[in-house]
Amino acid sequence: MSEHNHNHGHNHNNEKTHIHSHRALIGFDKHGIPTIVAKADHQEELDNDPNAFIRDYMNAVAEYKKTFPSKQDVIDQTPDPAVKEMLLRSEQLGIDTAFDRFDRQKPQCSFGLAGICCKICNMGPCKITAKSPRGVCGADADLIVARNLLRAAAAGAAQHGMHAREIILSLKWAAEGKLDIPIMGEQKIRTTAEAFGIQTKHRTTKKIAIDLANVLLEDMSRTEPNEYQTIKACAPPERQEVWKNLDILPVSAYHEVFEAYHKTGCAIDGDWESIMQQFLRCRLAFTFSGVVGANIATDSLFGVGDRVTSKVNIGALKKGYVNIAVHGHLPTLVSQIVKTGQEEKFIELAKSKGAKGILFYGICCSGLAAMYRYGGVIPLSNAVSAELVLGTGALDLWVADVQDVFPSIMEVAKCFKTAVVTTSDSARLPGAERYEYDHHHSNIGETKALAEKIVTRAIESFEQRKGIPVYIPPYEVEAEVGFSVEYVHKRFGSMKPLADALRSGKILGIVNMVGCNNPKVLYEKAIVDVADVLLKNNILILSNGCASFPLMKLGYCNTSALDKTGESLREFLTPDLPPVWHVGECIDNTRSSGIFAGIAGELGKALHEMPYAFTSPEWGNEKGIDAALGFRLMGINSYHCVEAQIYGSKNVIEFLKDGTRELLGSVMYVDTDPTELGNKIVEDIKAKRKALGWD
């Protein structure tokens, strides 16, 4: 297939930028990661042997699989001694962990890793080989890989979108009085409403909040095409023009997810380029409804919070208390559970049962959202090592919120008689007790009552679990958390000091380090190794979500880590700023992009020109590919140690990794060696500085 343009169901004109393919020969680096090595000059070679790439990718997949660590590798090399101790203890107790199950899955399916297994219809499953280069319906490798990738992006948009829907509705219902919790972010509501063109003068905060929530909900569920208000209000005008020219502006989040599953159905859209165009639309919907919309609503309802100091890691667990862990992503009910557990009435009830008091701990994002707003919520671990936290035997109640809650936690909880409760009809666990909002939220007005029942259940569990053996590894540190655009202005007065430090070279660049974790790389070590390279080269790190846990646990979010930085970054941060700024939960990527945009605006530069980068070294779930592409859509490169499932398509590899250079001004780079990945980020940031004349 030569270079060409496709009709994507709309009329192109000369001013439109077409999404098109270039013939390419794909090579593989020393880790088996597919890379583009040449383009049109290999046209004849590919035309003469169209199955050449199909025969090559299996060898590349085999090389890639060799980089996957074993559980023993994790035990030997994990940077967190608490993780090592709990893995060994779990082994002694016969408790399965994610690392045991990953080992038993080996060798993982090569066709799945390549993305060329199709089971969309019941004529399959089909797999692409040199012998059978097309599925039963005629879909080739490009189409199958693109379809699978789009479905993953749509799932990620739906997951963050449901998070956003819940918190936006909570804001609206709190303003209407249907949900009896206070609105804490009045200034955030008024400032954001003005950006959206919502009238604020002579109006109550609650009325403004209702209007703001309705606009955010309309962007989420609009059926008739119209302007996407969150994009119009929050995205840089330069980027909006790029997206308009590519015809990837979404109708609404719901529509683009619907369309993604529609287009990828059997015998519907057979053009891989059209599929990838929808991939970009889904990503914009993910960003501006699932992330920006969720962040606006969260900060509006619960307040922005402030920089605070928190104890972190498993050693912060305390014996003798009613210990409650909150795990997941939705803060509405969690906020009330924490508030209830801090009331004197319930503390006295706990003491009457022999406890010293009530303590709260965070797993994944529920804890991160809570810790810098309410205080007293101690972050312990990301989702992958949740079983290790349960394995301490120290927890009386586990609140399983929504998303990133592995079903395997139930088996470990049973071993230690830890009560597990679910809080949403969307996310149940077999054997868990249900204290849930129902499907229609008809009981949203019972939020405080639900919170009281859950805290009471925790106290009962404490009494029932007396005598359960507890083992807590002695590792805890302090972390500084709660950085934000608002904090930067409070600390520096404006973005100018940061901008000046960046331009002068005191800060070489700024990197947003986020994402989940993945046993395909050494657990948490990939994140730490990349961070070490960046800090040594005077690059400031922003972090949130699951990737932030090793950085918190190992002291990177503390001023004690200043000795890990280069001289000029250390000079800028001394005496009271850590080298990693923790901005919050995963939807708080908006805080990182807000800092990026504020500095760029101060310097009069576009985001794609700036010495910025996005990295999710260990990304593992469907939201991860969306998060990376969100920054790529802004023109910021993304860097990873885990490969997407795209080996089977030369065209999708090129489009996803290098083909967006011209379309979006950004690329995707993968290297399973985290030190090499860090060096590549440094190299590219220096190139950005050189282009700006900042050497």
Side-chain angles (χ1 to χ4, degrees), residues 124 126 181 209 215 242 360 370 426 449 493 600 614 666:
C126 298
I181 62 176
V215 171
V242 169
F360 287 92
S426 294
F614 170 96
S666 59

Side-chain angles (χ1 to χ4, degrees), residues 394-690:
L395 290 159
D396 300 297
L397 186 80
W398 192 278
V399 180
D401 200 10
V402 306
Q403 298 181 24
D404 296 308
V405 181
F406 292 4
S408 57
I409 69 166
M410 293 305 300
E411 296 304 313
V412 188
K414 286 176 188 174
C415 293
F416 297 95
K417 297 184 180 179
T418 299
V420 177
V421 303
T422 54
T423 63
S424 170
D425 178 72
S426 294
R428 296 180 184 172
L429 293 168
E433 301 172 35
R434 292 169 53 192
Y435 294 79
E436 300 170 355
Y437 290 134
D438 63 37
H439 185 67
H440 299 283
H441 285 75
S442 64
N443 59 341
I444 192 71
E446 301 169 21
T447 295
K448 289 187 176 180
L450 283 171
E452 290 183 355
K453 288 178 182 178
I454 288 169
V455 173
T456 301
R457 180 68 187 91
I459 296 169
E460 292 172 356
S461 179
F462 171 84
E463 191 172 24
Q464 293 163 358
R465 293 181 67 254
K466 286 180 179 177
I468 294 292
V470 173
Y471 174 77
I472 301 172
Y475 303 103
E476 65 173 329
V477 299
E478 287 188 343
E480 299 288 329
V481 299
F483 288 81
S484 62
V485 172
E486 289 81 359
Y487 175 76
V488 171
H489 280 270
K490 175 182 173 181
R491 173 68 171 75
F492 294 105
S494 70
M495 288 288 177
K496 189 174 186 302
L498 265 179
D500 289 345
L502 186 63
R503 183 168 187 168
S504 70
K506 279 191 174 182
I507 300 174
L508 187 76
I510 307 177
V511 172
N512 192 39
M513 178 177 284
V514 304
C516 31
N517 304 92
N518 195 320
K520 287 180 179 175
V521 293
L522 282 162
Y523 176 63
E524 297 187 330
K525 189 174 188 298
I527 291 164
V528 169
D529 286 352
V530 173
D532 283 341
V533 174
L534 300 182
L535 295 179
K536 182 176 66 176
N537 284 278
N538 297 304
I539 292 173
L540 178 66
I541 298 174
L542 312 178
S543 189
N544 64 64
C546 282
S548 69
F549 277 92
L551 299 173
M552 287 191 292
K553 293 187 299 178
L554 297 168
Y556 288 76
C557 297
N558 190 295
T559 53
S560 63
L562 287 172
D563 61 2
K564 297 180 182 294
T565 72
E567 183 179 347
S568 64
L569 179 61
R570 182 164 57 251
E571 180 184 337
F572 176 78
L573 296 170
T574 300
D576 65 330
L577 291 169
V580 175
W581 292 5
H582 195 295
V583 300
E585 59 179 318
C586 54
I587 63 163
D588 290 327
N589 268 321
T590 302
R591 296 186 175 192
S592 297
S593 62
I595 293 171
F596 280 174
I599 296 170
E602 186 72 38
L603 295 167
K605 303 295 180 183
L607 284 173
H608 69 87
E609 298 177 281
M610 295 290 289
Y612 296 153
F614 170 96
T615 181
S616 51
E618 300 185 15
W619 74 277
N621 63 29
E622 292 157 324
K623 293 175 289 185
I625 194 72
D626 282 320
L629 190 59
F631 279 81
R632 297 259 303 288
L633 282 158
M634 294 291 183
I636 297 170
N637 292 349
S638 71
Y639 301 82
H640 318 272
C641 292
V642 178
E643 181 61 279
Q645 294 169 1
I646 58 173
Y647 279 86
S649 169
K650 57 186 176 294
N651 282 318
V652 173
I653 291 170
E654 181 186 359
F655 178 91
L656 189 62
K657 292 191 170 182
D658 197 62
T660 52
R661 188 186 302 274
E662 293 180 10
L663 297 177
L664 303 173
S666 59
V667 298
M668 174 182 179
Y669 186 85
V670 182
D671 194 319
T672 57
D673 183 326
T675 300
E676 290 301 314
L677 189 78
N679 288 333
K680 178 61 175 172
I681 296 172
V682 173
E683 176 188 329
D684 289 351
I685 280 178
K686 286 180 177 178
K688 289 276 189 180
R689 295 187 63 86
K690 184 175 181 179

Side-chain angles (χ1 to χ4, degrees), residues 99-177:
F99 305 100
D100 295 297
R101 294 187 294 274
F102 184 69
D103 274 356
R104 287 197 294 270
Q105 285 294 326
K106 296 173 182 174
Q108 290 191 324
C109 172
S110 294
F111 295 103
L113 283 171
I116 43 78
C117 176
C118 181
K119 51 187 181 63
I120 286 172
C121 79
N122 207 36
M123 295 184 290
C126 298
K127 60 183 183 289
I128 299 303
T129 66
K131 178 182 175 182
S132 56
R134 289 182 179 271
V136 173
C137 73
D140 62 8
D142 292 334
L143 182 58
I144 290 171
V145 172
R147 280 174 173 173
N148 289 337
L149 198 61
L150 174 53
R151 287 193 167 208
Q159 289 154 22
H160 259 355
M162 282 300 291
H163 176 171
R165 173 182 176 270
E166 294 293 302
I167 193 61
I168 295 167
L169 285 173
S170 292
L171 173 63
K172 181 178 180 179
W173 290 339
E176 292 175 339

Side-chain angles (χ1 to χ4, degrees), residues 275-339:
I275 298 294
M276 294 308 293
Q277 186 176 41
Q278 184 62 25
F279 176 72
L280 297 179
R281 289 194 191 103
C282 260
R283 185 54 210 112
L284 282 175
F286 170 95
T287 300
F288 287 95
S289 280
V291 180
V292 176
N295 179 266
I296 289 170
T298 303
D299 285 352
S300 295
L301 183 54
F302 298 110
V304 175
D306 202 355
R307 177 184 170 190
V308 297
T309 301
S310 175
K311 292 287 187 183
V312 296
N313 213 349
I314 296 177
L317 279 162
K318 304 299 179 190
K319 294 181 182 179
Y321 289 83
V322 175
N323 287 327
I324 302 173
V326 292
H327 179 183
H329 282 257
L330 291 180
T332 303
L333 182 52
V334 166
S335 70
Q336 296 309 298
I337 293 169
V338 174
K339 184 177 179 181

Side-chain angles (χ1 to χ4, degrees), residues 49-80:
D49 190 0
N51 291 332
F53 179 70
I54 293 175
R55 284 191 293 271
D56 283 345
Y57 75 75
M58 279 299 183
N59 291 330
V61 170
E63 290 301 310
Y64 179 43
K65 287 195 285 189
K66 290 178 184 177
T67 69
F68 296 171
S70 66
K71 175 185 172 182
Q72 189 59 50
D73 291 330
V74 176
I75 290 172
D76 292 341
Q77 299 182 57
T78 180
D80 183 357

